[in-house]
Amino acid sequence: MPKREHEIYFTLEEVNALVPQLESHLQHFWSFRQNAQNILEEIQRARKKNLNPMPDEIAHIQLRQSQAHFLIEQGNKELEAVMELGGVIKDHDLGLVDFPHMQDFEEQEVYLCWKYGEKKVRFWHRIDEGYNSRKPVLKRVHH
């Protein structure tokens, strides 16, 4: 028997039950990241506009930097929450999350592959493959 990559495996039903949580965590991540990016762009514009800022302007920039840092930390917590659910984040921009699954009939480890926007898991791929190798669940994975 080949070496096992994961200790915990998910059924199709288990991953499908997690989809609402996955959607929520990714939406929050993207929102935190966008808000942080907006603040950082604001800071950059302020610095270009005023090369010799006054103390109150420096304080405002420092406050905004702290806010951006906080938002980035919150976004990272959302990604950590996805991982705590058992997901392996493959691409946080696409919202691509894999879940380890053991095919009973072949005792082969594969990933159940979910992408943001999909209401349920419809694809799988081998552990050593990626998104471009996704195959329809019904043809291969038994649950």
Side-chain angles (χ1 to χ4, degrees):
M1 176 184 251
K3 177 182 174 279
R4 290 183 173 211
E5 296 285 327
H6 299 90
E7 293 182 19
I8 298 173
Y9 297 99
F10 291 82
T11 66
L12 191 59
E13 291 81 9
E14 288 171 332
V15 178
N16 285 337
L18 294 174
V19 167
Q21 291 176 68
L22 296 171
E23 289 175 330
S24 176
H25 288 305
L26 287 171
Q27 288 168 352
H28 287 118
F29 165 74
W30 290 325
S31 177
F32 286 130
R33 183 178 66 176
Q34 184 60 56
N35 288 334
Q37 184 64 38
N38 292 344
I39 291 171
L40 294 173
E41 289 170 2
E42 170 194 317
I43 291 168
Q44 195 172 39
R45 285 190 305 273
R47 285 185 171 155
K48 283 182 181 179
K49 189 169 93 173
N50 189 354
L51 299 177
N52 296 311
M54 300 299 291
D56 62 329
E57 294 168 321
I58 293 171
H60 179 72
I61 287 173
Q62 290 172 335
L63 172 66
R64 296 300 278 160
Q65 285 175 323
S66 294
Q67 290 169 338
H69 180 75
F70 174 78
L71 291 167
I72 291 167
E73 285 179 353
Q74 293 305 112
N76 288 337
K77 287 179 184 179
E78 296 295 335
L79 295 179
E80 288 169 12
V82 170
M83 292 184 283
E84 286 173 12
L85 292 172
V88 179
I89 299 170
K90 295 298 180 130
D91 187 321
H92 55 67
D93 290 328
L94 286 176
L96 198 57
V97 184
D98 288 344
F99 287 84
H101 174 78
M102 179 63 73
Q103 291 180 331
D104 294 332
F105 64 97
E106 288 187 14
E107 291 189 14
Q108 178 184 3
E109 290 180 82
V110 298
Y111 279 130
L112 296 175
C113 183
W114 176 80
K115 181 180 175 189
Y116 184 85
E118 297 173 346
K119 293 303 172 194
K120 63 180 184 173
V121 174
R122 298 180 6 238
F123 299 96
W124 69 277
H125 60 80
R126 291 184 4 194
I127 297 286
D128 61 348
E129 296 176 331
Y131 179 76
N132 291 332
S133 300
R134 296 192 335 161
K135 297 154 193 74
V137 166
L138 297 177
K139 290 187 177 181
R140 186 76 170 169
V141 176
H142 294 284
H143 43 94

